[in-house]
Amino acid sequence: MENLNGEGAAPLVGVIGGMGPYAGVEFLRKILANTVAIRDQDHISCMLISCPSLIPDRSEFLLGTSADEENPAKGMFLCAQMLYKAGIRYVSVACNTAHSIRIFTPFLNMVKESLPNLTVVNMLETCAAWVKTDCRYRRLGLLATLGTYKSRVYHEYFTEEDGFTLIDPEERGCTNIHEAIYSEDFGIKPHPKPIKRRAKNALIYEAYRLADRGAEAVLIGCTELPLALDQEDIDIPLLDPAIIAARALIYCVAPEKLTPFAL
Amino acid sequence: MENLNGEGAAPLVGVIGGMGPYAGVEFLRKILANTVAIRDQDHISCMLISCPSLIPDRSEFLLGTSADEENPAKGMFLCAQMLYKAGIRYVSVACNTAHSIRIFTPFLNMVKESLPNLTVVNMLETCAAWVKTDCRYRRLGLLATLGTYKSRVYHEYFTEEDGFTLIDPEERGCTNIHEAIYSEDFGIKPHPKPIKRRAKNALIYEAYRLADRGAEAVLIGCTELPLALDQEDIDIPLLDPAIIAARALIYCVAPEKLTPFAL
């Protein structure tokens, strides 16, 4: 079978989605939205893999509440392998909670060992670097899953050393946000379209609470959240790491095609 | 490298997108929206490949207005090959115009010859079969690109023999719809989000014109159109072949997960 790599048109950029599936699709849309394009052919080539049943819930794993103890890293790595087979050389993982050290480090180690030519664009690292150099906000509120809060993964990247102060919601708020994502009755995962008003309002409320407690901007620390919360909903600046990672992937293969971007 | 096929969780279902890129992403969303799922893990595994620069414009090719004469079938086949390498065994092409005989037949021949274990779910064939058996509408208006109108591909599947009458817009209407898709100023392809009012209104107007001329329902004969035209916009029943094809792909691997659907 013909090998297309190096010909420039075959996809080198891939997204590991499925965490959740709608968030993966949304990540791909962010790649498109951040590309300067008039015609179809102007867009970069890319692939999305969505294998949700291969990857246990990241938050449950971190909180120790999952039925099985399997590390989601294993399924993420299998997805990386499949993308690699198809020719992908730059990949990002469309899930914030998956970037927690207990998941992302074993994932990176497996990639390093078995797929040394695959570059993983770390969404949180990329985002922190961007905010640090291109953005004036330093006191950042965080909307995320309980797994992300508990793992304190954002603190690994948005460090005090770099001048950042991260503001988590109070305990009740963390649960509210987690419910807005997971609740069977009104959560984003089971009800992605249309989004339930209760989920959206909970996020708006918690974002304003964070602002009241000093946040200059709010990090959208879960790829599911932009399905329900848009900059148009709220007058607090929203920082979406998925947008920054999508832009970083475009930058890897076609930096001249990046749309202007500022916040 | 480990082969995951046969283990049930690796993706067997793929979508050839990029025609245009947003329509490909939207097709994947239709797979998700037609799956019964409460948790991430309930969704089926799937992949999307989007290589727009490998595939010349289908409409230009059919109309003979493209700079190069390359058949889009070749790029579609390269995408099929890449998906196949990653383990995909059922694939659909997220573009109506690409289903025109002059493109789709050479594509199918290449697949048959080189990838005999890959099943191509033909979006138009599947849609016609569904409308014939599960739907009472027989006089169908068609919203599509000039390439699709000219190739008369819908007439191949929605035959008079099966009781169908297809209603094309008048010449001016065909151009209006084509412009709503392609115009650099207001078309869906260059302006997918937000959609320009002029594109949306042109589609609404032409759909009502088709109904005035006897259409009981309107076929959304271009995967780009659902980005701008929703059933909520209009009280004429809309038939979207991409939804039927998305459902057919789910049916191939997990028929028990199909959501109820009727029109």
Side-chain angles (χ1 to χ4, degrees):
Chain A
M1 226 176 274
E2 195 175 341
N3 187 339
L4 289 161
N5 295 317
E7 291 190 15
L12 296 172
V13 160
V15 175
I16 300 178
M19 300 173 272
Y22 281 93
V25 168
E26 200 54 31
F27 192 104
L28 218 68
R29 189 189 299 280
K30 282 167 188 170
I31 293 180
L32 303 179
N34 284 276
T35 306
V36 174
I38 297 292
R39 307 168 69 237
D40 294 351
Q41 291 74 19
D42 299 334
H43 281 279
I44 68 164
S45 291
C46 54
M47 280 182 103
L48 169 70
I49 186 164
S50 183
C51 295
S53 63
L54 278 180
I55 309 174
D57 190 86
R58 285 68 57 204
S59 228
E60 287 184 5
F61 172 75
L62 294 172
L63 298 170
T65 55
S66 61
D68 65 67
E69 293 291 298
E70 186 181 300
N71 194 318
K74 191 185 157 194
M76 289 157 54
F77 171 68
L78 294 174
C79 290
Q81 261 189 335
M82 287 182 268
L83 287 176
Y84 189 83
K85 271 196 228 180
I88 298 303
R89 293 300 175 265
Y90 301 93
V91 77
S92 203
V93 175
C95 174
N96 285 268
T97 316
H99 282 72
S100 301
I101 309 300
R102 278 179 58 205
I103 301 173
F104 216 65
T105 302
F107 166 69
L108 287 177
N109 288 341
M110 286 185 263
V111 168
K112 209 169 169 182
E113 192 176 326
S114 304
L115 310 169
N117 295 321
L118 184 67
T119 299
V120 177
V121 172
N122 182 320
M123 180 160 68
L124 267 60
E125 190 177 75
T126 312
C127 182
W130 181 78
V131 178
K132 190 178 162 189
T133 55
D134 290 332
C135 207
R136 64 186 166 85
Y137 307 119
R138 290 297 175 268
R139 290 179 61 85
L140 308 175
L142 180 62
L143 296 178
T145 62
L146 289 178
T148 297
Y149 287 126
K150 197 198 167 190
S151 73
R152 294 179 66 82
V153 56
Y154 268 81
H155 294 265
E156 296 276 339
Y157 296 104
F158 292 83
T159 61
E160 288 184 20
E161 204 172 54
D162 283 338
F164 288 114
T165 303
L166 284 181
I167 305 171
D168 284 2
E170 292 147 313
E171 199 177 331
R172 170 86 185 270
C174 293
T175 311
N176 269 349
I177 297 159
H178 197 83
E179 282 289 292
I181 299 167
Y182 282 96
S183 161
E184 281 197 27
D185 292 337
F186 60 88
I188 300 169
K189 280 181 187 286
H191 305 285
K193 203 176 180 184
I195 290 288
K196 300 276 181 186
R197 196 72 228 179
R198 185 166 165 192
K200 193 184 187 78
N201 284 351
L203 300 175
I204 293 173
Y205 177 82
E206 296 301 336
Y208 279 110
R209 285 283 300 155
L210 289 168
D212 275 349
R213 293 172 53 231
E216 301 159 330
V218 168
L219 281 159
I220 304 294
C222 169
T223 49
E224 225 82 38
L225 296 178
L227 301 169
L229 185 67
D230 204 81
Q231 188 64 73
E232 286 169 23
D233 297 318
I234 201 164
D235 55 359
I236 304 160
L238 298 178
L239 293 165
D240 181 355
I243 292 177
I244 309 302
R247 294 178 60 83
L249 285 175
I250 300 167
Y251 187 82
C252 289
V253 295
E256 76 284 2
K257 294 200 172 178
L258 269 176
T259 57
F261 185 73
L263 199 79
Chain B
M1 226 176 271
E2 196 177 341
N3 186 338
L4 288 160
N5 294 316
E7 291 191 14
L12 297 170
V13 160
V15 174
I16 300 177
M19 301 173 270
Y22 281 94
V25 169
E26 199 52 32
F27 192 104
L28 218 67
R29 190 189 298 279
K30 282 168 189 170
I31 293 180
L32 303 179
N34 283 274
T35 305
V36 174
I38 297 291
R39 307 168 70 238
D40 295 351
Q41 290 74 18
D42 300 334
H43 281 278
I44 68 165
S45 291
C46 53
M47 280 182 103
L48 169 70
I49 186 163
S50 183
C51 294
S53 64
L54 277 180
I55 308 176
D57 190 86
R58 287 66 58 204
S59 228
E60 285 184 8
F61 172 76
L62 294 171
L63 298 170
T65 55
S66 62
D68 64 67
E69 293 291 298
E70 187 181 300
N71 193 319
K74 190 185 158 196
M76 288 156 53
F77 171 69
L78 294 175
C79 289
Q81 260 188 334
M82 286 182 268
L83 286 177
Y84 189 84
K85 270 197 229 178
I88 299 301
R89 293 300 173 264
Y90 301 93
V91 77
S92 203
V93 176
C95 174
N96 285 265
T97 317
H99 283 73
S100 301
I101 310 299
R102 277 178 59 206
I103 300 172
F104 216 65
T105 303
F107 166 69
L108 287 177
N109 288 340
M110 285 185 264
V111 168
K112 208 170 169 181
E113 193 177 325
S114 305
L115 310 169
N117 295 321
L118 183 67
T119 300
V120 177
V121 172
N122 181 320
M123 181 161 65
L124 267 60
E125 189 176 75
T126 310
C127 182
W130 181 78
V131 178
K132 192 178 161 190
T133 54
D134 290 331
C135 207
R136 64 187 167 81
Y137 307 118
R138 290 299 175 265
R139 290 178 62 84
L140 308 175
L142 180 62
L143 296 178
T145 63
L146 289 177
T148 296
Y149 288 126
K150 198 198 167 191
S151 72
R152 293 180 67 79
V153 55
Y154 268 83
H155 294 265
E156 297 274 342
Y157 295 104
F158 292 83
T159 62
E160 288 186 18
E161 207 173 50
D162 284 337
F164 288 114
T165 302
L166 285 181
I167 306 172
D168 283 3
E170 290 148 314
E171 198 177 332
R172 169 88 185 270
C174 293
T175 311
N176 269 348
I177 297 159
H178 196 84
E179 282 289 293
I181 300 167
Y182 282 95
S183 162
E184 281 196 27
D185 293 336
F186 60 89
I188 299 168
K189 279 182 188 288
H191 306 285
K193 202 176 179 184
I195 290 288
K196 299 275 182 187
R197 195 74 225 179
R198 185 165 164 191
K200 192 183 187 80
N201 285 351
L203 299 175
I204 292 173
Y205 177 82
E206 294 303 336
Y208 279 111
R209 285 284 301 153
L210 288 167
D212 276 348
R213 291 172 53 231
E216 301 160 329
V218 168
L219 281 159
I220 305 293
C222 170
T223 47
E224 226 81 39
L225 296 178
L227 301 170
L229 186 66
D230 203 81
Q231 187 65 73
E232 286 168 21
D233 297 316
I234 200 165
D235 56 358
I236 304 161
L238 298 179
L239 293 164
D240 180 354
I243 292 178
I244 309 301
R247 294 178 61 82
L249 284 175
I250 301 167
Y251 187 82
C252 289
V253 294
E256 76 284 2
K257 293 198 172 177
L258 270 174
T259 57
F261 185 72
L263 200 80

